[in-house]
Amino acid sequence: MRLQGKKIVITGAGGISAAAARLAAAEGAHVFVISMNEQECRTLTDGIERSDYAVADLTAESQTVAAFETAKGHLGTVDGVFAVAGGSGRRHGDGPLDEMSLDAWLKTFQMNGDPMFLTAREAVRTMQDRGGSLVLVGSVLATSPVPTRFATHAYASVKGAAISLARTLASYYAPQGIRVNVVAPGLVATPMSARAAQDPDIMDYAAKKQPLAGGMIDPDDVARAALFLLSDDSSRITGQVLDVDGGWSVTEA
């Protein structure tokens, strides 16, 4: 029960977000979910004690600010924020740089970078008086690329930005007791990876590249790492990247 009594905000309501919400509540946290998908929010929080939600497009500044105000109204204070919301830019044309349009680049950054910025800003604003923990989501693709199968250069770039943002925020806000870290997953079994899950070649590759998982990583594994960083067990850790990749970054497939 390392999160007993903690007030935790989680962005997104599926995949890693849903896993984190369920596990955080099981560890005693009061959970508040923010997502643009109301049905997912309702389904998730209906199954969790001490939880509530707000519907918001986290690429929209006014909606993000309002959602955090609602969260503070429900929780009273905020001890931790897990910023998960984002997604693949493939449908917008993300891919190899020489084949990518500016529109694809911008939309991928908007989908992932804008929620990261706005969520981080509102998290810091709510924590300035008492400290807290902010966890961003990166990706192994930012530091351990696989050019033949995962050449999504805009997505890798914005996830690299998550690392830079976390480190500079960690440095600046440490005197206020605010910690900022990153979890960087490998290939996780979420709705975002549905395309990969249907490709036998990629699944065979994942089994070799992520030997500790024997394939795709369970969202709970990523969530547990994030909850560690949100808990007091990591109270002396900030500005770090925790890879949850099943061996991806150290394995030759």
Side-chain angles (χ1 to χ4, degrees):
M1 303 297 286
R2 60 185 171 178
L3 295 176
Q4 184 68 47
K6 294 283 190 185
K7 315 294 180 63
I8 306 295
V9 175
I10 298 171
T11 66
I16 294 169
S17 305
R22 288 190 292 266
L23 291 173
E27 292 196 19
H30 296 252
V31 175
F32 193 91
V33 174
I34 303 174
S35 172
M36 66 188 300
N37 189 320
E38 183 168 10
Q39 185 57 53
E40 282 191 349
C41 285
R42 185 182 299 113
T43 300
L44 176 60
T45 56
D46 280 351
I48 299 175
E49 293 185 9
R50 302 180 305 278
S51 67
D52 215 319
Y53 70 89
V55 177
D57 178 354
L58 291 164
T59 67
E61 183 172 24
S62 60
Q63 292 187 42
T64 305
V65 171
F68 269 84
E69 287 299 318
T70 302
K72 286 187 289 183
H74 281 272
L75 299 175
T77 58
V78 175
D79 300 300
V81 174
F82 187 24
V84 189
S88 170
R90 283 184 181 274
R91 67 180 181 272
H92 299 302
D94 186 14
L97 184 67
D98 64 301
E99 300 173 9
M100 196 191 316
S101 67
L102 176 60
D103 184 64
W105 174 271
L106 293 174
K107 285 181 176 176
T108 302
F109 264 73
Q110 180 184 38
M111 181 191 306
N112 293 279
D114 290 5
M116 178 173 64
F117 159 69
L118 290 170
T119 298
R121 188 189 71 184
E122 295 310 304
V124 166
R125 287 176 173 177
T126 63
M127 295 174 184
Q128 281 183 304
D129 294 334
R130 59 198 305 274
S133 175
L134 167 63
V135 179
L136 306 179
V137 174
S139 170
V140 291
L141 293 178
T143 53
S144 300
V146 177
T148 57
R149 290 177 172 84
F150 299 96
T152 47
H153 293 162
Y155 182 80
S157 297
V158 73
K159 290 305 182 180
I163 297 172
S164 297
L165 180 62
R167 287 184 170 152
T168 193
L169 295 183
S171 174
Y172 188 85
Y173 291 106
Q176 299 180 42
I178 299 173
R179 302 184 296 110
V180 188
N181 294 287
V182 176
V183 289
L187 189 58
V188 184
T190 67
M192 189 179 118
S193 62
R195 179 195 67 87
Q198 295 168 6
D199 187 324
D201 179 61
I202 290 179
M203 292 307 294
D204 180 64
Y205 179 83
K208 298 171 183 174
K209 187 67 171 170
Q210 300 183 154
L212 296 183
M216 286 192 173
I217 296 166
D218 192 292
D220 283 6
D221 294 327
V222 182
R224 290 188 189 98
L227 298 189
F228 163 70
L229 293 172
L230 290 169
S231 77
D232 292 338
D233 286 353
S234 62
S235 60
R236 303 297 180 262
I237 299 174
T238 194
Q240 304 304 307
V241 180
L242 178 54
D243 289 346
V244 187
D245 64 5
W248 177 299
S249 56
V250 295
T251 301
E252 187 74 33

